[in-house]
Amino acid sequence: MLWTKDGKLKAEEYLTGLGSVPVKRAAKLTVNASPEPVTKGKTLTVTGKATRADWVRHKYTGYADKLAKLQFRKAGTSAYTTVKTVRANAAGDLRTTVKAATDGYWRWTFGEASTTGGATAAGDYVDVR
């Protein structure tokens, strides 16, 4: 019943028998590959940050120790392939290096966990010369 005996709306109502609904924190990922452009065969540094909603602070904070996959998609194609997996530091920062071979897009991604949803960064295009 949503109404009190005197016709006023109740402030709270607890429903039973409906089961439970899992609620997960939202997550975000960023990516930056540099330098841009890069010479073929030279080292490319790919960085990013894994964050998730902090319900106490009301903002996104670093997702410490999270494993993220670094993925690459060659220009002109549609499929990403995983290049390596990197663990975020205590602040949620991700960093690794790769050899530049061809033009394309770099991104970080990770799947959902029991308390947090998954996230995928938008691809960062790198011109290889």
Side-chain angles (χ1 to χ4, degrees), residues 30-34 36 38 44-47 69-74 80-84 96-108 121-128:
T30 62
V31 65
N32 184 48
S34 64
E36 297 178 59
V38 65
L44 184 66
T45 301
V46 185
T47 60
K69 295 177 183 176
L70 176 64
Q71 296 183 327
F72 177 74
R73 177 173 66 91
K74 186 177 178 178
Y80 278 90
T81 58
T82 298
V83 175
K84 60 172 72 175
T96 192
T97 59
V98 293
K99 294 292 183 189
T102 187
D103 295 352
Y105 299 85
W106 293 92
R107 74 180 185 185
W108 293 104
D124 183 17
Y125 181 79
V126 175
D127 179 21
V128 177

Side-chain angles (χ1 to χ4, degrees), residues 1-16 18:
M1 204 179 211
L2 295 176
W3 304 96
T4 62
K5 290 181 182 179
D6 60 355
K8 295 181 181 175
L9 185 62
K10 288 184 180 179
E12 295 180 5
E13 180 71 23
Y14 296 97
L15 302 175
T16 59
L18 297 177

